[in-house]
Amino acid sequence: MTALQQAREALEQGNAQEAFQIVRSVLRYSEKTWERSDFVEAWSVFAEISAILAGEEFTNGVQAVVRHPDDVQALYDIGYQLFEQGLPDLAATALARAHALAPDSAGVLNELVSALETMGMNAEACRLLKARPEVIQHNYLSRYLLAFNAIMSRDLETPRKLLASLQQGSYEHQEELASRIASMLARADAIKDVSSLDQQDLRGWHYVVTGAFLLHLSPYGFDEGMNGRYAFVQDTRDLCLEGILRLEATLKEMDISVPRIFALPERGSTILAQALALKLHVPLVYWSDEGHTEPGLIAAYDLSLLDGPILVSIREHHPGQVLWSHATCWTESFPVTADVTTFFYQVNHAPWESQMRVNPDTKQVEHTQPDEHDAASIAAELLQTQLKSEALADVPTLQALVKTAATSHGAAIPAALSTQGRRQQLWDSSPVKSSRFA
């Protein structure tokens, strides 16, 4: 039985979600060339599924592709909608066909590249862009996308060649985009003597792309595809204290003296803020919705746990103000990158939340009770944690990177030393790839 037959069988049994997952595996982008009949059949099954799971307007778009599989506009429209719905892998398949039919359409190519970029297929995006030099020559956004995806593929020479042309022209966002590429190149030059910038240098490339520092590298599966990130992790008080100690060392290398700790209105953030205030012997100030401009350290457990207005209030740099987020999700883009973060995760459970453990008696997985003690008690207990001897083993390597970056000038300076402008967004793509849950 073929995958599409399995999908139809699941539909007949009323399992539309199961059918969708099966069809998604069929329609997921690959470099293969589709036979027209196979393409139509796959999208036909997808149309049946979307009639159940999606709205009428979206389903009509899918059906337009089924009826007219060589209609570039229909393919572009459904590709755009799929991308907006968080399905870049399906969007890329529709857009790839549109690109094959209209290879010189910059709009189609750029949308396809955006989908591939979101999938982490930056090298493939570069391959497609380089294959259309006429488009690159005449379309500003295409040039920018090539420069950006080249950096995300650890290629620094291509953006160097493109930078001058990116700094010219009248594109609407030209200054912002050109500045982004120039800053990445400047940061790469600044740290090249202390950071390998190879396929596993997560800390170095995070600095190049965002100007921010990554404090802790996961040791699990490092050489089996994780490269320093966590997939599933249950955070611990040990790791929280390690983050605080590494943060302290990082601030020292940048010669940053912290006059106060800002506590954000989220329980985990308040716990870490109280722990930091105790550790550094400085006052604790509770963050207001309007924000603060005074120097100090803004302590967050995880920026993704904060409400929208609070995120808006921490987007801007201010002199002497540093934003630290202990945990950061690496599989989704985010509007704000913390100046310093402890670790990257795909799925994380905070130490004071319910966590999974194996019962030693029954050997069954069970969930622990959340820690309901007040924030001050947990913060004090956290600082009493005894770290393993190897927990801080690579701090000298971290310090060397921070010290070198802190002595740079202009566009290469660390985000933690910036005094104005918005913080960089966090990309869901990176020059260092990691395995992830589907």
Side-chain angles (χ1 to χ4, degrees):
M1 183 183 295
T2 67
L4 293 180
Q5 288 172 332
Q6 291 175 351
R8 283 202 165 97
E9 184 176 276
L11 272 178
E12 290 170 1
Q13 295 172 353
N15 297 324
Q17 282 290 353
E18 180 184 345
F20 168 69
Q21 293 302 329
I22 295 171
V23 169
R24 186 176 187 179
S25 68
V26 174
L27 283 176
R28 183 172 289 120
Y29 177 84
S30 67
E31 297 178 40
K32 77 172 185 179
T33 301
W34 283 81
E35 293 292 337
R36 192 176 190 275
S37 59
D38 293 339
F39 188 85
V40 170
E41 182 184 9
W43 287 98
S44 296
V45 179
F46 186 65
E48 295 177 42
I49 296 168
S50 67
I52 299 171
L53 299 179
E56 181 180 355
E57 181 180 353
F58 180 82
T59 302
N60 289 340
V62 181
Q63 290 172 339
V65 168
V66 174
R67 291 192 303 270
H68 306 290
D70 297 327
D71 185 329
V72 172
Q73 189 63 51
L75 291 162
Y76 177 87
D77 290 344
I78 199 60
Y80 181 86
Q81 289 188 59
L82 286 164
F83 185 76
E84 291 297 305
Q85 292 297 319
L87 296 169
D89 48 345
L90 305 191
T93 297
L95 292 164
R97 184 170 182 84
H99 176 58
L101 293 165
D104 292 323
S105 169
V108 169
L109 178 56
N110 292 344
E111 196 67 26
L112 171 57
V113 164
S114 296
L116 294 171
E117 178 186 308
T118 301
M119 295 169 65
M121 298 184 68
N122 309 99
E124 173 69 356
C126 290
R127 183 185 72 81
L128 293 172
L129 286 163
K130 288 179 178 179
R132 309 310 305 171
E134 301 87 354
V135 175
I136 296 299
Q137 180 181 353
H138 298 292
N139 187 269
Y140 185 94
L141 183 56
S142 298
R143 288 199 299 281
Y144 165 76
L145 288 171
L146 177 56
F148 181 83
N149 280 279
I151 290 174
M152 292 297 182
S153 304
R154 303 186 305 279
D155 168 13
L156 296 173
E157 292 310 307
T158 295
R160 289 190 205 283
K161 294 174 182 176
L162 292 169
L163 184 57
S165 67
L166 291 174
Q167 293 171 327
Q168 301 168 1
S170 57
Y171 184 72
E172 182 181 3
H173 302 291
Q174 178 264 335
E175 184 175 350
E176 175 188 355
L177 299 182
S179 175
R180 181 178 297 157
I181 299 301
S183 296
M184 290 180 182
L185 292 173
R187 289 190 290 263
D189 288 339
I191 66 168
K192 66 180 185 299
D193 293 334
V194 294
S195 205
S196 64
L197 296 181
D198 62 14
Q199 70 274 12
Q200 289 188 304
D201 185 11
L202 181 61
R203 183 178 283 151
W205 279 113
H206 182 59
Y207 182 73
V208 168
V209 173
T210 65
F213 294 116
L214 174 64
L215 303 180
H216 169 89
L217 299 174
S218 166
Y220 300 107
F222 190 91
D223 293 318
E224 287 76 48
M226 291 311 301
N227 296 318
R229 297 183 179 94
Y230 288 97
F232 174 86
V233 60
Q234 299 192 111
D235 195 7
T236 63
R237 285 169 171 75
D238 296 45
L239 187 50
C240 288
L241 178 57
E242 181 186 330
I244 288 173
L245 295 177
R246 287 173 176 269
L247 173 63
E248 192 175 15
T250 297
L251 295 173
K252 184 178 180 180
E253 290 300 330
M254 290 187 286
D255 198 26
I256 294 176
S257 177
V258 177
R260 59 183 64 82
I261 302 295
F262 291 110
L264 296 169
E266 183 274 321
R267 184 170 182 250
S269 300
T270 300
I271 290 170
L272 292 184
Q274 293 200 8
L276 268 167
L278 286 171
K279 182 71 173 65
L280 300 179
H281 306 289
V282 296
L284 182 71
V285 177
Y286 288 92
W287 194 262
S288 66
D289 290 346
E290 296 75 26
H292 295 264
T293 59
E294 302 91 344
L297 183 88
I298 309 169
Y301 178 76
D302 185 335
L303 296 183
S304 70
L305 301 177
L306 302 176
D307 293 335
I310 298 299
L311 283 175
V312 171
S313 73
I314 62 175
R315 284 201 69 173
E316 298 290 331
H317 287 288
H318 296 289
Q321 206 172 82
V322 179
L323 174 61
W324 169 56
S325 179
H326 177 63
T328 296
C329 179
W330 63 271
T331 54
E332 296 182 7
S333 59
F334 200 73
V336 179
T337 297
D339 305 328
V340 187
T341 194
T342 305
F343 69 91
F344 285 136
Y345 71 88
Q346 181 173 1
V347 178
N348 174 50
H349 295 284
W352 34 85
E353 294 177 349
S354 174
Q355 296 191 341
M356 292 188 295
R357 69 161 193 162
V358 177
N359 186 304
D361 298 322
T362 66
K363 309 301 181 185
Q364 299 297 308
V365 175
E366 60 185 26
H367 291 272
T368 62
Q369 292 297 314
D371 188 338
E372 296 181 353
H373 288 92
D374 62 83
S377 297
I378 298 176
E381 180 184 331
L382 187 157
L383 292 177
Q384 299 305 312
T385 301
Q386 296 297 312
L387 296 184
K388 294 179 180 179
S389 58
E390 68 273 15
L392 303 175
D394 77 328
V395 166
T397 303
L398 169 64
Q399 289 174 309
L401 172 65
V402 175
K403 184 176 183 178
T404 299
T407 58
S408 61
H409 303 282
I413 66 168
L417 293 176
S418 295
T419 59
Q420 61 183 353
R422 282 192 171 182
R423 289 187 163 88
Q424 181 66 266
Q425 78 173 80
L426 181 68
W427 311 102
D428 53 8
S429 187
S430 168
V432 178
K433 313 303 180 187
S434 295
S435 303
R436 65 174 73 189
F437 298 123

